[in-house]
Amino acid sequence: MLTDRDERALLAATENRIARPLRIGAALASVRRTLARRSHARTQQRESVACHPAHTPIHP
């Protein structure tokens, strides 16, 4: 027979087992978004530098 304390402990353990993958999934999604933003920003910087003509004249 389970006491109230035992039932609460089992319930808490079950909730933690359910919630842990959700927290990990949210954290991984956040990391993915951050990395995607950084990658996109780097690509934009490279393109913008390459697309702008040099301001100094080129001497033969």
Side-chain angles (χ1 to χ4, degrees):
M1 179 171 215
L2 295 174
T3 64
D4 286 343
R5 179 180 284 175
D6 293 335
E7 287 182 20
R8 285 194 301 270
L10 284 173
L11 180 60
T14 303
E15 288 174 349
N16 285 334
R17 275 193 305 244
I18 292 169
R20 187 177 300 128
L22 298 176
R23 288 191 301 266
I24 292 170
L28 289 175
S30 175
V31 169
R32 276 190 226 112
R33 282 191 304 270
T34 301
L35 291 175
R37 271 190 248 124
R38 286 184 182 180
S39 175
H40 181 70
R42 271 192 237 123
T43 303
Q44 291 295 334
Q45 287 174 346
R46 275 186 263 154
E47 288 176 359
S48 65
V49 170
C51 292
H52 293 298
H55 293 290
T56 56
I58 300 173
H59 299 288

